[in-house]
Amino acid sequence: MAPRPPVRRTRRTLLAALVAASVALPVAAEARPSAVPAPAPAALSPLRSVTPAALDGRYAAVRRDILAAERTAGAHGDHRRAAALEAMAAPGRHFLSFDGRDGGRSAEVVGDLSRADRIAVLVPGSDTGPETYGRLRAGATALAERLGARSAVVAWLGYRTPAAASAAALTPGRADAAAGELRGFIEELRRATPRARVSVLCHSYGSVVCGRAAAGLDVADLVLYGSPGTGAPDVAALHTRATVWAGRAAGDWIAEVPHARLQLPFTTVGFGADLVSPAFGARLFAAGDGGHSDYLRPGSVPLDSIARIVTGHGRA
């Protein structure tokens, strides 16, 4: 029997993944606690200045919102969420924004934004929320320490990330909804820090978000790592003036994800081109041999590579 054409095999693989995810989604949802209520955050003026006084006022206002959400979660009986929010509200933590509703949104600064000449904005992938936020913050902290003085890292959890074992993780719906939020955040940040060099770092499904937002991001670098794709066939299709970088560690399971897109009646499954392939056209960076969650691990090869890119000293 003649072997099936590669395209047909890829489509069958994607369809199988979609079916599996569609089954996993209700099961996973059933195992999760019910939605945790949270009060609406206080209305904040746009960030127009990053003077120490302006930032202190902003951080204090957002901390009050986090504490209010903590009290509500505790009253609801979700002690895991309440403990996570208590940690986020700890003295010395600096949040530019927070909204505990619909899974939780936040933007935390690690470093001194008032003195930063280079700023890295981290866009996380699936399974990131208040209860798992420590992983994102750990990466932001490691990168900030590697960058040193006059640098700041913003951990941007500005969208409801999909669960890894879900149909949403195979489709661009969450990314489409998040792209406008990311553009708006970067615009506000750029207005407040016009002299800083800004890079956006996108991990896993976060790369899909960044791919959707790319054309509207006024940044120096777009760094995509541990990525299933962006939905674009190549760098030119992103319509960005930023330098586009891509990296994938040798031990990252994401390499096994089919690099194809399948148009179904109501959605698209898959994210297309392999970002580390020559055909995509990104600049590649050394990503070491770690796993999917190791890119910002202290002392790692990819952390060093990404820090060099953020400081403007990256090498293709």
Side-chain angles (χ1 to χ4, degrees):
M1 182 182 293
R4 292 187 179 91
V7 171
R8 188 172 296 174
R9 286 202 305 270
T10 298
R11 288 182 176 180
R12 286 170 63 88
T13 301
L14 283 170
L15 282 170
L18 178 61
V19 170
S22 298
V23 171
L25 179 59
V27 172
E30 212 171 279
R32 293 192 192 105
S34 59
V36 182
L44 297 173
S45 300
L47 184 67
R48 303 184 189 282
S49 169
V50 292
T51 63
L55 288 174
D56 285 348
R58 179 78 165 225
Y59 296 153
V62 177
R63 184 171 184 268
R64 289 192 290 271
D65 288 333
I66 298 172
L67 289 171
E70 178 204 345
R71 290 191 294 270
T72 302
H76 184 68
D78 193 319
H79 302 298
R80 185 182 178 205
R81 172 69 65 89
L85 296 176
E86 181 182 20
M88 294 171 78
R93 301 283 292 270
H94 299 142
F95 283 83
L96 291 171
S97 63
F98 174 82
D99 188 340
R101 299 171 298 177
D102 188 33
R105 311 282 193 277
S106 62
E108 182 178 14
V109 177
V110 181
D112 187 350
L113 190 60
S114 70
R115 300 177 64 247
D117 293 328
R118 51 267 180 116
I119 301 169
V121 178
L122 304 186
V123 180
S126 60
D127 288 329
T128 307
E131 292 86 353
T132 58
Y133 180 78
R135 298 178 306 191
L136 177 60
R137 186 172 191 267
T141 300
L143 180 58
E145 291 175 351
R146 174 60 182 79
L147 291 171
R150 304 196 71 83
S151 301
V153 179
V154 180
W156 183 82
L157 178 55
Y159 74 112
R160 185 169 187 174
T161 66
S166 72
L170 299 174
T171 63
R174 297 284 177 91
D176 289 337
E181 298 298 324
L182 180 58
R183 289 193 197 106
F185 178 78
I186 294 297
E187 287 172 7
E188 188 173 339
L189 183 66
R190 295 292 292 127
R191 284 195 297 268
T193 61
R195 294 185 177 85
R197 188 180 198 279
V198 178
S199 301
V200 177
L201 317 181
C202 318
H203 178 238
S204 195
Y205 189 87
S207 297
V208 188
V209 175
C210 291
R212 289 296 197 269
L217 299 179
D218 178 18
V219 297
D221 303 288
L222 199 59
V223 187
L224 313 171
Y225 53 101
S227 173
T230 63
D234 52 35
V235 166
L238 294 176
H239 302 293
T240 178
R241 292 179 295 176
T243 301
V244 179
W245 300 81
R248 185 171 66 222
D252 191 342
W253 58 260
I254 204 77
E256 303 303 321
V257 172
H259 295 290
R261 298 176 73 227
L262 178 61
Q263 186 65 53
L264 298 177
F266 301 105
T267 190
T268 300
V269 180
F271 304 113
D274 183 352
L275 304 195
V276 299
S277 69
F280 187 73
R283 295 191 183 185
L284 304 185
F285 65 86
D289 57 3
H292 188 64
S293 300
D294 295 335
Y295 290 91
L296 298 180
R297 181 167 47 83
S300 68
V301 169
L303 177 65
D304 186 67
S305 296
I306 291 170
R308 288 178 177 276
I309 293 169
V310 171
T311 57
H313 297 98
R315 293 191 297 270

